[in-house]
């Protein structure tokens, strides 16, 4: 009988797990079924996430200290203490219904306004004796000498004027002689002689075949068409000046968008690099034909350029209003993280706790975006520093914050 009981006990012990037997032999209680094993803390490099170790140390690639890595954690919350929030410039905003002004962003550029250009041509045939401006890009002030011209024709006109003055002295009071003097003086004016030069000629009674031409207005030298010593004919181009006090803004528009643009419509212009100085422009012209080799037309207007701080050729964005969306939840564009997993924002759920939340967006302006799903009035959303939270989450947990998230109803 005892032999049968002994054999039965041996069979039962064979069926029990080895852990139970070891626990019994050591006097310890076996683990309860389903009890989670202690998680192993892993560490990774902030610069090289592929480096993962089970103990604290340094990165074998760059030598940086490893940081805790919660790869297997399912906790969506991210804790950032108050000091680190200040260093990362993390700020939040309680969202609420507001009017969202929507505008279409058009690619544009600054170009020279032809109305601000001056074309200087020779008023008389002769030789360029002295060229004072020889390079493009040089700023010229109004009244600055540009070139000196030698002209035999001018000397002949000066002689005619002196003879007319002599005749007038002999026949004082004669209206015909007075008309001849006035006619000779007008010819000299037409050929570039100023009143002071004509008065000096009458005083000295000496011919001067050289005439000095001055800039009619200030500007930047855009083209020099002659060289020193060159002979020119009457009307030959000499110098072209461009004024940058007013610049044209040209923007590309698709035909479907152009039908909503009206002449005189006010639009906002932002020059690249001067985003803090937006300008307002009135649409002055809409090109009636499409550009060669493209399906685009253009709209055009002008903006002031005080101090000539902008140059032609610079990029400018034109924001064309398309309508208003009233009672819409809106956020700054940078508050929404966009990647292959979808769009999400960061919600501040506690003093030092932040959580990702999926959202859907609607209309978008240059700096605001409408939130159609995922948020409700009063939610406190991170508006600056959202990308830093995104990066830290990926670094600490080794996965995208949007993984496993479900859209919440408003």
């Amino acid at each position: 009988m005892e032999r049968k009981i002994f054999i039965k006990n041996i069979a039962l012990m064979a069926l029990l797990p080895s852990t139970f037997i070891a626990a019994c032999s050591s006097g310890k209680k076996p683990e309860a079924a389903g009890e989670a094993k202690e998680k192993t803390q892993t560490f990774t490099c902030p610069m090289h996430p592929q480096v993962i170790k089970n103990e604290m140390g340094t990165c074998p690639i760059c030598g940086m200290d490893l940081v805790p890595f919660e790869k297997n954690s399912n906790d969506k919350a991210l804790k950032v203490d108050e000091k680190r929030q200040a260093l990362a410039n993390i700020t939040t905003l309680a969202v609420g219904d507001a009017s969202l002004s929507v505008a279409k962003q058009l690619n544009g550029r600054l170009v020279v306004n032809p109305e601000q250009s001056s074309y200087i041509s020779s008023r008389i045939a002769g030789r360029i004796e002295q060229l004072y401006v020889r390079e493009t890009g040089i700023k010229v002030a109004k009244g600055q000498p540009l070139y000196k011209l030698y002209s035999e024709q001018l000397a002949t006109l000066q002689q005619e004027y002196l003879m007319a003055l002599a005749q007038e002295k002999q026949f004082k009071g004669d209206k015909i002689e007075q008309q001849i003097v006035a006619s000779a003086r007008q010819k000299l004016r037409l050929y570039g002689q100023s009143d002071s030069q004509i008065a000096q000629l009458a005083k000295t009674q000496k011919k001067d075949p050289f005439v000095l031409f001055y800039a009619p207005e200030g500007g930047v030298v855009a083209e020099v068409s002659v060289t020193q010593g060159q002979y020119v004919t009457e009307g030959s181009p000499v110098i072209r000046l461009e004024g940058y006090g007013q610049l044209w803004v040209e923007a590309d528009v698709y035909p479907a968008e152009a039908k909503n643009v009206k002449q005189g419509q006010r639009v906002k212009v932002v020059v690249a690099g001067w985003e803090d100085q937006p300008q307002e422009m009135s649409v002055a012209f809409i090109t009636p034909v499409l550009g060669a080799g493209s399906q685009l037309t253009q709209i055009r207007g002008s903006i002031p350029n005080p101090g000539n701080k902008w140059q032609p050729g610079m990029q400018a964005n034109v924001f064309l209003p398309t309508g208003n969306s009233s009672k819409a939840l809106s956020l700054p564009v940078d508050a929404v993280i966009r990647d292959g997993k979808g769009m999400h924002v960061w919600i501040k759920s506690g003093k030092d706790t932040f959580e990702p939340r999926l959202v859907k967006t609607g209309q978008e302006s240059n700096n605001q975006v409408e939130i159609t799903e995922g948020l409700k009035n009063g939610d406190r959303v991170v508006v600056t520093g959202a990308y830093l939270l995104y990066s830290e989450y990926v670094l600490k947990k080794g996965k995208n914050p949007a993984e496993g998230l479900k859209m919440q109803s408003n």
Side-chain angles (χ1 to χ4, degrees), residues 341-352:
K341 300 294 183 179
M343 293 178 287
H344 70 274
V345 299
W346 285 91
I347 303 293
K348 189 172 185 179
S349 56
K351 180 181 178 182
D352 300 329

Side-chain angles (χ1 to χ4, degrees), residues 147-167:
Y147 65 96
K148 181 191 287 187
L149 187 73
Y150 171 81
S151 175
E152 289 290 346
Q153 185 179 355
L154 178 61
T156 301
L157 292 175
Q158 289 176 346
Q159 184 64 41
E160 288 180 3
Y161 179 65
L162 292 176
M163 291 175 60
L165 288 177
Q167 287 288 96

Side-chain angles (χ1 to χ4, degrees), residues 74-77 337 339 341-347 354-360 374 390 393 399-409:
N74 292 321
D75 185 11
K76 288 295 183 181
I337 309 295
D339 57 23
K341 300 294 183 179
M343 293 178 287
H344 70 274
V345 299
W346 285 91
I347 303 293
F354 300 88
E355 296 181 5
R357 184 178 296 178
L358 288 180
V359 294
K360 287 186 179 180
Y390 172 86
Y393 187 96
K399 53 188 174 183
N400 193 298
E403 287 184 12
L405 288 181
K406 295 182 179 180
M407 183 69 65
Q408 296 187 13
S409 57

Side-chain angles (χ1 to χ4, degrees), residues 306-373:
N308 293 351
K309 58 185 176 182
W310 300 319
Q311 289 77 43
M314 295 182 68
Q315 181 184 356
N317 293 320
V318 177
F319 296 93
L320 185 67
T322 59
N324 291 324
S325 176
S326 59
K327 292 185 179 180
L329 291 177
S330 62
L331 288 173
V333 172
D334 292 340
V336 181
I337 309 295
R338 308 163 195 252
D339 57 23
K341 300 294 183 179
M343 293 178 287
H344 70 274
V345 299
W346 285 91
I347 303 293
K348 189 172 185 179
S349 56
K351 180 181 178 182
D352 300 329
T353 307
F354 300 88
E355 296 181 5
R357 184 178 296 178
L358 288 180
V359 294
K360 287 186 179 180
T361 61
Q363 300 182 83
E364 187 172 334
S365 66
N366 59 312
N367 54 11
Q368 293 287 116
V369 59
E370 178 188 6
I371 305 298
T372 58
E373 289 187 45

